[in-house]
């Protein structure tokens, strides 16, 4: 690795350590101090001068604390004369605030993007943005990875001859279609209307799921309200078995317990873009690691290789496995 320095905020140091293990480089220490007036101070405790600096920090709960810590770390790296600073944000939670769909509301995704650049980010590496337009909020290069390869490789262990991928809403249907293509199975989608942050209404289910093994795919699961609403429609349409897959397992409150309590839900699969607390790791929950993908992207950024090629390479093995299963 060429002059690389990796730091982690306090949001998910375990993921940062795993990334560094794959890269074979140390994770440098960071000192965070809280003053009596509740202000934070951050010190990067390793040389950054002319280094290619990567700062790993998902915007997970507490989101505002972790965001401010990330901004301070970016500012510290810039003040220490880093040659380039990449904000590695596995989960960019403000991506859900991507449009003005009511009077006098803020567009948090764009504001946070501006803050990151102002603080010193020269580049952003993230995973599975909630909506494609968030990519355009940034005035610096953004590399967006996805976890479809990791999720597909997990589901290849099952018999997929009767499987179907279901998206809870039409907005996620494109990703669901891409995932279904990897698995070489059909796709279906729900027509969803959001009532509130935790309540949705699904009016119809588009596609054939009768007597099929359903894999529900969503970009993130927070309260689990969308999935619980969808489960009723899946049962009514004769689904045989149900598994749930998501990139960002926010699983706020008792979400994972509520989903695991459903008898026809065989498994809940997420990745470690955000930390999963020990009390949420129930027997039905499977957590996949995205550290290898993030590490390879960081290696390519550091060496000047194509990150887009990484996504293209990810498709080939999945298609090969799907083809072998269909024969």
């Amino acid at each position: 690795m060429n002059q690389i320095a990796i730091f982690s905020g306090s949001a998910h140091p375990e993921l940062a350590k795993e990334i560094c293990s794959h890269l074979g480089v140390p994770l440098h220490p960071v000192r965070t101090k809280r003053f009596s007036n509740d202000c934070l101070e951050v010190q990067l405790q390793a040389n950054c001068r002319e280094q290619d600096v990567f700062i790993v920090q998902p915007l997970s709960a507490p989101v505002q604390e972790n965001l401010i810590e990330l901004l301070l770390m970016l500012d510290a790296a810039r003040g220490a004369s880093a040659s380039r600073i990449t904000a590695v944000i596995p989960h960019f939670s403000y991506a859900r605030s991507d449009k003005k769909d009511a009077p006098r509301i803020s567009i948090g995704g764009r504001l946070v993007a501006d803050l990151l650049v102002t603080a010193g980010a020269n580049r952003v590496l993230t995973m599975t943005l909630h909506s494609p337009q968030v990519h355009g909020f940034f005035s610096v290069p953004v590399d967006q990875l996805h976890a479809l390869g990791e999720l597909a490789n997990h589901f290849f262990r099952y018999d997929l001859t009767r499987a179907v991928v279901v998206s809870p809403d039409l907005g996620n249907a494109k990703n669901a279609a891409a995932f279904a293509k990897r698995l070489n199975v059909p796709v279906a989608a729900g027509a969803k209307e959001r009532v509130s942050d935790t309540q949705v209404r699904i009016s119809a289910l588009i596609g054939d799921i009768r007597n099929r093994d359903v894999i529900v795919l969503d970009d993130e699961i927070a309260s689990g309200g969308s999935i619980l609403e969808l489960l009723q429609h899946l049962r009514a349409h004769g689904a045989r078995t149900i598994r749930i897959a998501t990139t960002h397992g926010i699983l706020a409150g008792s979400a994972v317990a509520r989903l695991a309590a459903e008898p026809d839900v065989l498994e809940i699969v997420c990745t470690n873009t955000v930390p999963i607390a020990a009390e949420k790791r129930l027997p039905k929950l499977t957590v996949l690691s995205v550290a290898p993908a993030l590490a390879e992207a960081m290696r390519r950024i550091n060496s000047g290789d194509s990150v887009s090629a990484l996504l293209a390479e990810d498709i080939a093995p999945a298609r090969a496995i799907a083809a072998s299963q269909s024969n």
Side-chain angles (χ1 to χ4, degrees):
M1 303 294 290
N2 302 320
Q3 299 289 317
I4 189 170
I6 301 178
F7 300 90
S8 173
S10 58
H12 203 349
E14 296 81 8
L15 177 59
K17 290 174 185 175
E18 191 178 348
I19 290 171
C20 288
S21 177
H22 283 282
L23 292 174
V25 299
L27 177 63
H28 294 303
V30 177
R31 183 186 65 83
T32 303
K33 178 180 179 180
R34 187 180 295 272
F35 292 102
S36 57
N37 65 354
D38 206 37
C39 291
L40 290 175
E41 178 186 79
V42 170
Q43 182 185 36
L44 307 180
Q45 298 191 300
N47 180 38
C48 296
R49 186 174 296 275
E50 299 306 318
Q51 298 280 310
D52 194 5
V53 172
F54 292 82
I55 299 175
V56 182
Q57 180 86 321
L59 298 185
S60 54
V63 174
Q64 280 58 244
E65 289 271 323
N66 290 329
L67 172 59
I68 291 298
E69 187 180 67
L70 174 58
L71 295 174
L72 292 173
M73 294 174 72
L74 293 170
D75 180 69
R78 181 181 58 181
S81 301
S83 64
R84 178 175 59 188
I85 307 168
T86 301
V88 182
I89 310 174
H91 178 47
F92 186 67
S93 55
Y94 270 100
R96 292 185 64 172
S97 179
D98 60 349
K99 56 187 174 295
K100 188 174 180 179
D101 53 5
R104 298 171 298 282
I105 63 169
S106 60
I107 303 177
R110 186 182 62 192
L111 173 61
V112 172
D114 290 342
L115 289 172
L116 291 168
V117 175
T118 300
N122 305 121
R123 194 178 194 99
V124 172
L125 174 62
T126 188
M127 294 198 75
T128 314
L129 292 170
H130 182 68
S131 52
Q133 63 264 32
V134 175
H135 195 285
F137 288 171
F138 290 87
S139 57
V140 296
V142 176
D143 296 301
Q144 180 190 186
L145 305 182
H146 54 69
L148 297 185
E150 287 79 3
L151 292 170
N153 289 336
H154 173 79
F155 284 102
F156 279 135
R157 70 180 65 185
Y158 301 120
D159 179 7
L160 299 177
T161 54
R162 295 292 300 169
V164 58
V165 173
V166 177
S167 170
D169 59 82
L170 299 176
N172 192 55
K174 185 176 181 179
N175 286 335
F179 187 55
K181 189 174 183 180
R182 286 169 176 267
L183 298 180
N184 197 28
V185 301
V187 64
K192 183 178 79 174
E193 175 190 358
R194 180 161 294 280
V195 179
S196 67
D197 179 46
T198 59
Q199 184 182 1
V200 300
R201 183 183 301 112
I202 296 177
S203 58
L205 193 61
I206 304 166
D208 180 20
I209 65 164
R210 185 165 299 279
N211 200 31
R212 286 188 173 272
D213 301 313
V214 170
I215 302 173
V216 177
L217 178 72
D218 209 351
D219 62 317
E220 74 173 61
I221 297 177
S223 68
S226 297
I227 305 300
L228 290 170
E229 172 75 10
L230 179 63
L231 290 179
Q232 300 180 36
H233 292 265
L234 295 177
R235 295 178 186 120
H237 285 75
R240 187 167 69 173
T241 64
I242 302 170
R243 287 182 166 86
I244 301 167
T246 185
T247 300
H248 306 300
I250 310 302
L251 303 173
S254 61
V256 65
R258 292 164 64 203
L259 293 173
E262 299 293 328
D264 46 3
V265 173
L266 302 184
E267 186 181 27
I268 306 160
V269 184
C270 68
T271 75
N272 62 342
T273 56
V274 298
I276 308 294
E279 62 269 18
K280 295 181 180 180
R281 292 180 177 262
L282 302 181
K284 284 188 179 182
L285 180 66
T286 301
V287 182
L288 309 177
S289 178
V290 293
L294 289 169
E296 177 61 15
M298 291 164 66
R299 186 196 67 78
R300 289 176 181 238
I301 291 170
N302 176 255
S303 62
D305 294 331
S306 171
V307 178
S308 298
L310 176 63
L311 301 179
E313 291 168 8
D314 184 37
I315 295 174
R319 285 181 177 169
I321 296 172
S324 66
Q325 286 200 345
S326 63
N327 292 333

